[in-house]
Amino acid sequence: DIVSIAPDNNFKGVLLKANKPYDSKLVGIISTNPGVVLGSIDGDTQKADKRQLALAGRVPVKIDPNSEPIQVGDFLTSSNKPGLATKATESGYVIGKALNNWIPCTTPLSPPKLGGETPQQRGGEVLGCNQPTIEVFINLIYKQEKSEMENLKTKMSTMQKQIDELRSFLIR
């Protein structure tokens, strides 16, 4: 499950299943096999939490069935369904990059490949309906969409032209 820091100050350090897309408080993924393990205090019992939190590396993550299709290398973020990941399609905080392809149940199966096998039949190259998890390489960052960056570059270029025009006017 993808987890984020609890917003309530009464429970410092408590982690909750992330339940909003692009959650700015994302921390990591509760995993069955993380490379680094840290502990925390459970908000309900006030006892040590035995869940393992993966902060880096390659771990499985559960995918929201309503996610758009995912390709290897796509950024994943938190979903509005608690603990689940979804394909990141806009700027915002992301949990990492997909290491598997994934398709939702509503997407038609791929056409047969050589030998009559679809990618779903060839060792899980594309995962979907019957596979609710994929591998992710954790990389907590703020992902900026290229279109927004291009808009910013255009605005900066326009401002530079205006500055240059003002300079030439003042020098006369």
Side-chain angles (χ1 to χ4, degrees):
D1 291 324
I2 295 178
V3 293
S4 59
I5 300 168
D8 188 348
N9 287 335
N10 294 328
F11 298 111
K12 292 182 180 174
V14 173
L15 304 178
L16 302 172
K17 288 183 181 181
N19 62 2
K20 65 180 181 177
Y22 306 96
D23 189 343
S24 63
K25 297 181 186 318
L26 290 176
V27 174
I29 299 173
I30 299 297
S31 176
T32 55
N33 191 21
V36 177
V37 180
L38 300 176
S40 70
I41 302 299
D42 185 288
D44 295 328
T45 65
Q46 297 300 314
K47 294 182 181 177
D49 190 345
K50 300 297 182 194
R51 294 172 291 183
Q52 297 178 337
L53 175 63
L55 302 173
R58 187 173 103 174
V59 295
V61 66
K62 297 173 188 170
I63 302 297
D64 181 342
N66 296 323
S67 175
E68 291 186 19
I70 297 169
Q71 299 290 317
V72 170
D74 283 348
F75 284 103
L76 302 177
T77 188
S78 48
S79 166
N80 60 0
K81 292 188 175 87
L84 302 184
T86 190
K87 179 179 178 176
T89 58
E90 57 190 65
S91 296
Y93 290 94
V94 296
I95 193 72
K97 285 191 171 188
L99 297 175
N100 301 102
N101 295 326
W102 180 89
I103 57 171
C105 292
T106 57
T107 302
L109 294 177
S110 302
K113 303 291 182 192
L114 290 175
E117 293 179 323
T118 66
Q120 292 83 358
Q121 295 167 333
R122 291 189 297 120
E125 186 177 326
V126 177
L127 306 174
C129 292
N130 60 354
Q131 187 69 31
T133 64
I134 65 171
E135 294 282 314
V136 62
F137 187 83
I138 297 176
N139 185 20
L140 291 164
I141 61 169
Y142 185 89
K143 177 181 102 65
Q144 186 75 39
E145 281 296 315
K146 288 182 183 177
S147 60
E148 291 179 29
M149 290 299 287
E150 293 302 320
N151 289 341
L152 184 58
K153 286 180 184 178
T154 301
K155 288 178 184 178
M156 288 177 65
S157 176
T158 302
M159 289 174 64
Q160 186 62 50
K161 287 178 185 175
Q162 291 172 341
I163 290 170
D164 292 342
E165 288 175 8
L166 284 171
R167 281 187 183 149
S168 67
F169 178 75
L170 292 174
I171 293 174
R172 292 183 191 170

